[in-house]
Structure formats: structure tokens, C-alpha cells
Amino acid sequence: MFKQSILLFFCSITSFAQTIIIDSQTKHPVSYATISFGNGQGVFADDEGMFVFTKKIYPDIDSLFISALGFKDLHISSETVSDTLQLQPFIDELDEVVVRAKIDRKYKEETIKPYLDDDYYACWLPTIESEIAVYFKNPDTKLKKLTEIQFPIALESVDWEKRHKANAEKKPFSTLFKVKVYHNNNGFPGKPLSYENMVFRVTEKDGDAYAMDVSAYDIYIPDSGFFVSLQVLGYTDDSGKLLPNKKYKEIKSRGQTVKIPTNFRPLLPFTNEIPENNTYIKRVFVNHNQWIQFKKENINDSSLLKAGLNNYGIGISYKAFKDE
């Protein structure tokens, strides 16, 4: 009831400032676009392309950078934000998407199992400023179609003293994630292998991993391998509708107010059972943001790396087709 009251209040004071992002050609909403403010802040549009921005809420922001899969970036002044913004389709990139006929030949289902863990201290705390990507190499030249991605999650017990008990009541959450699959570009995530929105909602009832069926997206694994990324969009209501989420929470310490990133549940367990550094991270609200490899040479203050936990252990399943 408290959360609903806050949401209603928020909507009542900002409904006049809602902006919708649409496709300039089809006039359809652009779902889950990223709205960056260029200084490490930002918000996401919801499934209907809606977001809220006012100078009252963000008085120090002078420009917005809007991006979405398959569209050209839009850079506008905060003074010119209107109730409707149009994104131009990126035709050159869309033309690269390969439309394949149904492959009607025998195949073998292959699986790389996810790495699961319920140790809270071995987990990444998701924030909406970060995107995590994991690299998967292609073991041979056989044609392969990605069918499922398994994302490990860690659940927290309501009672900390009972956290090691399998039947302990878990803290409730309802969180929306965005998934992207990238080409391998010289060892870093490159262009997307799919320009369709791939999102899923996960709750405490989903167990230790969320299995996402991606067979309908016709994603074929390149010879050089590929990356799977995960990005938290924020909490949702019971119907899966994205709620307004704050990127930072303010904590008073020694007479000063300190901003720290807001963490979202579920936690993402990391592992030390993969010798390679296959995990990459980037900040999504920084204009022209860059991927960096998650390893000690690049990151000095990571408690996960200090503990030897170097990878987020995503699992995948795919069809390996027999040669014709």
C-alpha cells in the first residue's frame, strides 16, 4: 500500500511532464529506450516508450542522449523536451540482420550450465547504471542456433539467521531486466545480433536461475563467438509494469549527504570456477560509454575480484546442426 501511495503521488505531480518516444516511420512506441543525461545519470522508457523528465526534478541537466536498439541516437537540449520524441530507424544496421528460412535438418542440443551460488558475499549488486556482458566462444564451425539463456540469481532470506535453510522465506521482489546479444568485435561486445527487445521479469519465485527462451529470435552463433549481456531496468508492479526508479539513494553520514547507487534485487552470483576473464562491464548512462574487461588490471576496488570471483556464470543452450 505504501509503495502504491508513493507511485500515485509521483504520477500526480509529473504526469504533465511525461514524454513518449516513438518510431519516426511507424509511429509505434520505442520500448525501453535509454535516456542518458551525459553525466552518469539517466532513466529508462517503459514498454510504452514513456519516461518522465522535468527541469524541476533534474535542474542541472542541459542535454539528453536517447538511444535504442535499431535507431539513431538522439541528442537534444533539455529545454526542448516535448511530449513526443521521434527516433530515426538505423536502416543500415537493420539491413544486416539475416532472415533465415527454417532449417530442417538434424541437430544436437548442447548446454553450458550456469554457475549457481547462494552466498550473498559472492554477488554483484545490480544497479541501473551498469551493463554486464559474458563472452562465449564458438567451439567449432558447425551451424548453431541459440535457444535459451540461463541467468543465475541469488535469493535473500527474510530472516538473516535462517539464510542457509532451503525452506527459509525469501525477500520478495519483481525486477525487469533487458538482455542483449552482441557480435564479438576484437574481444569486446560489438554490434547486436538481434535488434528486437529482449526483456524478462524475475521474482523470488523463479528459484536460483531464470531460463529465458530466445529460440524465436533466430540468433545464430558467429564463428568468432558472441556476448550475452544483462542490464537491470528497475522494479515493476505486480503486472510487470516498470516503476519509476531512482538511480541513487541519499545517505547522511557525518553531517553530509552522500549519493550511492541504488541496488536492485535479485543479486547476481559470481564464480571463481572459470579461469578466463569472460565478463565485461560498462556504464550505460555515460555518452559514448566503453566496455572494460572485469579483471584486476582494470578495476582496483572490486571486492569480488579481491576474493577471486572473476565471472558472472551465465548458462546457454543451443542447437548444433548436423552437416548437410
Side-chain angles (χ1 to χ4, degrees), residues 89-258:
F90 211 148
I91 303 299
D92 291 342
E93 289 190 359
L94 293 177
D95 286 344
E96 292 183 6
V97 177
V98 178
V99 179
R100 297 177 183 264
K102 181 179 179 181
I103 299 176
D104 189 15
R105 67 185 202 234
K106 293 181 179 181
Y107 62 86
K108 182 179 180 182
E109 193 81 25
E110 300 282 358
T111 297
I112 298 175
K113 293 183 178 181
Y115 291 82
L116 309 179
D117 200 335
D118 60 0
D119 182 356
Y120 306 149
Y121 297 105
C123 290
W124 177 280
L125 306 181
T127 67
I128 60 174
E129 68 174 352
S130 297
E131 183 177 356
I132 302 176
V134 175
Y135 172 68
F136 292 90
K137 65 180 180 180
N138 191 340
D140 53 53
T141 59
K142 291 182 179 179
L143 181 64
K144 302 176 186 68
K145 179 181 177 180
L146 191 64
T147 56
E148 187 178 84
I149 307 172
Q150 298 98 33
F151 297 98
I153 60 177
L155 306 180
E156 295 175 274
S157 299
V158 173
D159 186 342
W160 178 257
E161 299 298 327
K162 297 180 180 179
R163 64 188 183 277
H164 297 304
K165 296 183 178 181
N167 61 349
E169 183 183 358
K170 304 301 181 183
K171 287 184 179 180
F173 59 84
S174 178
T175 305
L176 196 66
F177 284 97
K178 180 191 288 186
V179 177
K180 297 178 185 177
V181 182
Y182 295 103
H183 283 276
N184 174 16
N185 181 22
N186 296 319
F188 289 89
K191 289 185 177 181
L193 278 165
S194 172
Y195 287 94
E196 296 186 63
N197 270 318
M198 292 185 284
V199 298
F200 68 87
R201 173 186 170 221
V202 63
T203 74
E204 75 283 0
K205 298 177 183 179
D206 287 293
D208 295 327
Y210 182 89
M212 183 180 189
D213 184 355
V214 296
S215 56
Y217 297 105
D218 290 332
I219 300 172
Y220 291 85
I221 299 177
D223 291 342
S224 60
F226 67 103
F227 289 83
V228 174
S229 84
L230 189 65
Q231 177 184 350
V232 64
L233 298 178
Y235 291 132
T236 79
D237 62 19
D238 292 339
S239 66
K241 187 76 172 179
L242 189 64
L243 296 172
N245 291 287
K246 287 187 176 182
K247 178 178 180 289
Y248 290 108
K249 55 184 176 182
E250 296 181 349
I251 295 180
K252 290 186 178 180
S253 176
R254 298 180 181 179
Q256 294 182 335
T257 299
V258 180

Side-chain angles (χ1 to χ4, degrees), residues 61-81:
I61 303 303
D62 56 12
S63 60
L64 279 69
F65 301 86
I66 302 172
S67 60
L69 281 176
F71 294 90
K72 297 179 180 179
D73 292 348
L74 178 64
H75 179 197
I76 61 172
S77 166
S78 60
E79 302 292 342
T80 62
V81 177

